[in-house]
PDB file of all heavy atoms in Angstrom:
ATOM      1  N   HIS A 530    -111.113 -78.377 -66.635  1.00 79.00           N
ATOM      2  CA  HIS A 530    -111.542 -76.997 -66.826  1.00 79.00           C
ATOM      3  C   HIS A 530    -110.572 -76.241 -67.746  1.00 79.00           C
ATOM      4  O   HIS A 530    -110.994 -75.520 -68.642  1.00 79.00           O
ATOM      5  CB  HIS A 530    -111.643 -76.313 -65.466  1.00 79.00           C
ATOM      6  CG  HIS A 530    -112.215 -74.954 -65.561  1.00 79.00           C
ATOM      7  ND1 HIS A 530    -113.488 -74.728 -66.016  1.00 79.00           N
ATOM      8  CD2 HIS A 530    -111.679 -73.753 -65.314  1.00 79.00           C
ATOM      9  CE1 HIS A 530    -113.714 -73.445 -66.031  1.00 79.00           C
ATOM     10  NE2 HIS A 530    -112.627 -72.813 -65.607  1.00 79.00           N
ATOM     11  N   ARG A 531    -109.282 -76.455 -67.522  1.00 85.00           N
ATOM     12  CA  ARG A 531    -108.292 -75.775 -68.370  1.00 85.00           C
ATOM     13  C   ARG A 531    -108.471 -76.151 -69.837  1.00 85.00           C
ATOM     14  O   ARG A 531    -108.545 -75.294 -70.703  1.00 85.00           O
ATOM     15  CB  ARG A 531    -106.874 -76.204 -67.961  1.00 85.00           C
ATOM     16  CG  ARG A 531    -106.337 -75.557 -66.720  1.00 85.00           C
ATOM     17  CD  ARG A 531    -104.914 -76.049 -66.558  1.00 85.00           C
ATOM     18  NE  ARG A 531    -104.277 -75.607 -65.344  1.00 85.00           N
ATOM     19  CZ  ARG A 531    -103.030 -75.929 -65.017  1.00 85.00           C
ATOM     20  NH1 ARG A 531    -102.312 -76.701 -65.807  1.00 85.00           N
ATOM     21  NH2 ARG A 531    -102.502 -75.502 -63.895  1.00 85.00           N
ATOM     22  N   ILE A 532    -108.555 -77.456 -70.085  1.00 87.00           N
ATOM     23  CA  ILE A 532    -108.574 -77.853 -71.492  1.00 87.00           C
ATOM     24  C   ILE A 532    -109.913 -77.510 -72.142  1.00 87.00           C
ATOM     25  O   ILE A 532    -110.001 -77.358 -73.343  1.00 87.00           O
ATOM     26  CB  ILE A 532    -108.198 -79.339 -71.717  1.00 87.00           C
ATOM     27  CG1 ILE A 532    -109.300 -80.273 -71.266  1.00 87.00           C
ATOM     28  CG2 ILE A 532    -106.869 -79.685 -71.060  1.00 87.00           C
ATOM     29  CD1 ILE A 532    -109.088 -81.697 -71.759  1.00 87.00           C
ATOM     30  N   GLY A 533    -110.940 -77.335 -71.280  1.00 78.00           N
ATOM     31  CA  GLY A 533    -112.250 -76.934 -71.803  1.00 78.00           C
ATOM     32  C   GLY A 533    -112.242 -75.527 -72.378  1.00 78.00           C
ATOM     33  O   GLY A 533    -113.217 -75.078 -72.952  1.00 78.00           O
ATOM     34  N   ARG A 534    -111.126 -74.807 -72.219  1.00 77.00           N
ATOM     35  CA  ARG A 534    -111.009 -73.469 -72.813  1.00 77.00           C
ATOM     36  C   ARG A 534    -110.897 -73.559 -74.331  1.00 77.00           C
ATOM     37  O   ARG A 534    -111.122 -72.598 -75.038  1.00 77.00           O
ATOM     38  CB  ARG A 534    -109.752 -72.740 -72.315  1.00 77.00           C
ATOM     39  CG  ARG A 534    -109.656 -72.606 -70.842  1.00 77.00           C
ATOM     40  CD  ARG A 534    -110.778 -71.756 -70.384  1.00 77.00           C
ATOM     41  NE  ARG A 534    -110.872 -71.807 -68.944  1.00 77.00           N
ATOM     42  CZ  ARG A 534    -110.847 -70.736 -68.177  1.00 77.00           C
ATOM     43  NH1 ARG A 534    -110.726 -69.560 -68.693  1.00 77.00           N
ATOM     44  NH2 ARG A 534    -110.962 -70.864 -66.878  1.00 77.00           N
ATOM     45  N   THR A 535    -110.448 -74.730 -74.792  1.00 79.00           N
ATOM     46  CA  THR A 535    -110.368 -74.913 -76.235  1.00 79.00           C
ATOM     47  C   THR A 535    -111.528 -75.836 -76.629  1.00 79.00           C
ATOM     48  O   THR A 535    -112.254 -76.327 -75.782  1.00 79.00           O
ATOM     49  CB  THR A 535    -108.984 -75.470 -76.639  1.00 79.00           C
ATOM     50  OG1 THR A 535    -108.951 -75.576 -78.041  1.00 79.00           O
ATOM     51  CG2 THR A 535    -108.700 -76.826 -76.038  1.00 79.00           C
ATOM     52  N   GLY A 536    -111.721 -76.024 -77.902  1.00 66.00           N
ATOM     53  CA  GLY A 536    -112.790 -76.937 -78.333  1.00 66.00           C
ATOM     54  C   GLY A 536    -114.174 -76.412 -78.021  1.00 66.00           C
ATOM     55  O   GLY A 536    -115.095 -77.179 -77.828  1.00 66.00           O
ATOM     56  N   ARG A 537    -114.303 -75.086 -77.947  1.00 60.00           N
ATOM     57  CA  ARG A 537    -115.624 -74.527 -77.623  1.00 60.00           C
ATOM     58  C   ARG A 537    -116.468 -74.332 -78.871  1.00 60.00           C
ATOM     59  O   ARG A 537    -115.932 -74.258 -79.966  1.00 60.00           O
ATOM     60  CB  ARG A 537    -115.439 -73.173 -76.942  1.00 60.00           C
ATOM     61  CG  ARG A 537    -114.939 -73.360 -75.536  1.00 60.00           C
ATOM     62  CD  ARG A 537    -115.257 -72.174 -74.705  1.00 60.00           C
ATOM     63  NE  ARG A 537    -114.970 -72.498 -73.315  1.00 60.00           N
ATOM     64  CZ  ARG A 537    -114.869 -71.598 -72.367  1.00 60.00           C
ATOM     65  NH1 ARG A 537    -115.023 -70.337 -72.650  1.00 60.00           N
ATOM     66  NH2 ARG A 537    -114.607 -71.958 -71.132  1.00 60.00           N
ATOM     67  N   ALA A 538    -117.721 -74.177 -78.649  1.00 54.00           N
ATOM     68  CA  ALA A 538    -118.671 -73.848 -79.707  1.00 54.00           C
ATOM     69  C   ALA A 538    -118.484 -74.735 -80.941  1.00 54.00           C
ATOM     70  O   ALA A 538    -118.459 -74.276 -82.071  1.00 54.00           O
ATOM     71  CB  ALA A 538    -118.521 -72.368 -80.091  1.00 54.00           C
ATOM     72  N   GLY A 539    -118.291 -76.014 -80.681  1.00 53.00           N
ATOM     73  CA  GLY A 539    -118.196 -76.961 -81.784  1.00 53.00           C
ATOM     74  C   GLY A 539    -116.839 -77.008 -82.470  1.00 53.00           C
ATOM     75  O   GLY A 539    -116.609 -77.838 -83.333  1.00 53.00           O
ATOM     76  N   HIS A 540    -115.916 -76.104 -82.099  1.00 60.00           N
ATOM     77  CA  HIS A 540    -114.586 -76.161 -82.707  1.00 60.00           C
ATOM     78  C   HIS A 540    -113.821 -77.334 -82.101  1.00 60.00           C
ATOM     79  O   HIS A 540    -114.063 -77.726 -80.968  1.00 60.00           O
ATOM     80  CB  HIS A 540    -113.796 -74.879 -82.396  1.00 60.00           C
ATOM     81  CG  HIS A 540    -114.399 -73.669 -83.016  1.00 60.00           C
ATOM     82  ND1 HIS A 540    -114.321 -73.402 -84.352  1.00 60.00           N
ATOM     83  CD2 HIS A 540    -115.105 -72.642 -82.474  1.00 60.00           C
ATOM     84  CE1 HIS A 540    -114.948 -72.271 -84.609  1.00 60.00           C
ATOM     85  NE2 HIS A 540    -115.439 -71.787 -83.478  1.00 60.00           N
ATOM     86  N   SER A 541    -112.848 -77.845 -82.870  1.00 68.00           N
ATOM     87  CA  SER A 541    -112.016 -78.874 -82.250  1.00 68.00           C
ATOM     88  C   SER A 541    -110.855 -78.155 -81.570  1.00 68.00           C
ATOM     89  O   SER A 541    -110.520 -77.035 -81.921  1.00 68.00           O
ATOM     90  CB  SER A 541    -111.498 -79.844 -83.301  1.00 68.00           C
ATOM     91  OG  SER A 541    -110.718 -79.148 -84.218  1.00 68.00           O
ATOM     92  N   GLY A 542    -110.280 -78.778 -80.589  1.00 85.00           N
ATOM     93  CA  GLY A 542    -109.204 -78.113 -79.867  1.00 85.00           C
ATOM     94  C   GLY A 542    -108.072 -79.086 -79.595  1.00 85.00           C
ATOM     95  O   GLY A 542    -108.241 -80.299 -79.730  1.00 85.00           O
ATOM     96  N   VAL A 543    -106.942 -78.523 -79.219  1.00 92.00           N
ATOM     97  CA  VAL A 543    -105.787 -79.355 -78.909  1.00 92.00           C
ATOM     98  C   VAL A 543    -105.319 -79.008 -77.502  1.00 92.00           C
ATOM     99  O   VAL A 543    -105.165 -77.833 -77.166  1.00 92.00           O
ATOM    100  CB  VAL A 543    -104.647 -79.091 -79.926  1.00 92.00           C
ATOM    101  CG1 VAL A 543    -103.409 -79.906 -79.561  1.00 92.00           C
ATOM    102  CG2 VAL A 543    -105.100 -79.422 -81.342  1.00 92.00           C
ATOM    103  N   ALA A 544    -105.131 -80.029 -76.681  1.00 95.00           N
ATOM    104  CA  ALA A 544    -104.607 -79.804 -75.332  1.00 95.00           C
ATOM    105  C   ALA A 544    -103.320 -80.606 -75.181  1.00 95.00           C
ATOM    106  O   ALA A 544    -103.320 -81.829 -75.314  1.00 95.00           O
ATOM    107  CB  ALA A 544    -105.617 -80.245 -74.287  1.00 95.00           C
ATOM    108  N   ILE A 545    -102.232 -79.874 -74.935  1.00 96.00           N
ATOM    109  CA  ILE A 545    -100.924 -80.512 -74.795  1.00 96.00           C
ATOM    110  C   ILE A 545    -100.495 -80.352 -73.342  1.00 96.00           C
ATOM    111  O   ILE A 545    -100.622 -79.267 -72.783  1.00 96.00           O
ATOM    112  CB  ILE A 545     -99.905 -79.803 -75.721  1.00 96.00           C
ATOM    113  CG1 ILE A 545    -100.287 -80.032 -77.186  1.00 96.00           C
ATOM    114  CG2 ILE A 545     -98.478 -80.267 -75.434  1.00 96.00           C
ATOM    115  CD1 ILE A 545     -99.520 -79.155 -78.167  1.00 96.00           C
TER     116      ILE A 545
END
Side-chain angles (χ1 to χ4, degrees):
H530 186 62
R531 282 184 185 180
I532 72 167
R534 304 296 169 125
T535 182
R537 287 203 170 165
H540 295 286
S541 61
V543 177
I545 294 168

